[in-house]
Amino acid sequence: MPNAKLRQAFSGCEGLTTDVRPLSSTLLLAAGAVGGLVFVAGFLVLGAFATGYAQLHEAISALEFTDLGLAQQANFILFGILQICFALGLRREMREGRGSNLAPLLQALSGLAVIGDGLFIHAPLHLACDLVAFNAAIIVLCLFAWRFWRDRRWKGWSAYSIITALLMMAFLTAFGFANVHGGPAGAFEKLAVASRTTWTVLLVVRLLSGRRL
């Protein structure tokens, strides 16, 4: 039968599957990429128009204290919600194996913390949310590196995940140093966010292209 022959032909394509992903799962996964891109575009545009805001030197959260503060709060909250949706998509996708429970859980925790960044604009709650959001995101990368290890379908992704985690840690360390000494702290924090966003977008594109976890 034609359908049987088609399934047999595709079964030889390493890493691809003939299973049809439900539309709801596709949308949940896509939310991860869309959320990251919208968030980055949002704080860059708001930073360009906010009165007195210095893109290179001030943190993303500093936008919440400008004349466009409500818009940045909404940007945080929307991003957090979409990251939680992404976590639900990952849980559906990662049915078993390494990190199948912990990675989606920490991804959801990161999303909740980002929502907290939008709701709590003052320290210490805001700082606590920042720490949870960034550290959870880094641990998720490490869990994916562990999952991808020796998986021929995801060749190179273990190393890429570790490199992204190291870049995030390096940029955040530089952010803290520059924040104390008057350097381009804002640029380093934005680079940390951009590095993780790039990883997420590429992961989602690969998944929606037919790869499976």
Side-chain angles (χ1 to χ4, degrees):
M1 295 177 66
N3 289 339
K5 291 181 179 180
L6 185 62
R7 285 195 296 270
Q8 185 178 7
F10 275 101
S11 65
C13 297
E14 185 181 13
L16 296 177
T17 177
T18 57
D19 294 340
V20 177
R21 182 184 286 112
L23 177 60
S24 59
S25 296
T26 298
L27 293 175
L28 288 171
L29 290 172
V34 172
L37 292 174
V38 169
F39 179 66
V40 171
F43 68 65
L44 288 177
V45 171
L46 292 173
F49 289 97
T51 303
Y53 180 77
Q55 287 269 33
L56 294 180
H57 289 81
E58 294 189 76
I60 298 169
S61 301
L63 279 167
E64 294 179 295
F65 297 98
T66 69
D67 53 336
L68 298 178
L70 287 177
Q72 179 53 40
Q73 284 184 265
N75 193 27
F76 271 126
I77 293 170
L78 176 61
F79 180 43
I81 291 171
L82 291 176
Q83 289 305 293
I84 293 173
C85 291
F86 180 49
L88 294 174
L90 288 176
R91 185 63 192 93
R92 290 187 181 184
E93 196 77 11
M94 302 168 71
R95 300 174 185 175
E96 57 185 14
R98 298 172 178 174
S100 58
N101 292 314
L102 192 55
L105 178 62
L106 287 173
Q107 179 63 46
L109 180 62
S110 180
L112 283 172
V114 170
I115 292 174
D117 280 331
L119 296 176
F120 310 113
I121 67 174
H122 297 286
L125 286 178
H126 187 90
L127 178 59
C129 289
D130 272 347
L131 291 173
V132 171
F134 278 118
N135 282 295
I138 290 170
I139 295 172
V140 169
L141 288 168
C142 295
L143 287 171
F144 268 97
W146 180 41
R147 186 179 182 89
F148 292 143
W149 181 252
R150 294 184 178 178
D151 187 340
R152 290 182 299 173
R153 300 170 304 170
W154 293 86
K155 186 177 180 179
W157 270 80
S158 183
Y160 176 42
S161 300
I162 289 295
I163 290 170
T164 302
L166 292 174
L167 281 175
M168 285 191 70
M169 288 188 284
F171 286 139
L172 291 172
T173 300
F175 164 74
F177 183 83
N179 203 33
V180 172
H181 297 281
F188 288 125
E189 185 190 29
K190 292 173 177 69
L191 285 171
V193 173
S195 62
R196 172 59 199 270
T197 297
T198 301
W199 180 91
T200 302
V201 170
L202 292 177
L203 175 70
V204 170
V205 168
R206 195 170 177 86
L207 289 172
L208 298 187
S209 297
R211 298 287 172 177
R212 285 297 180 90
L213 293 171

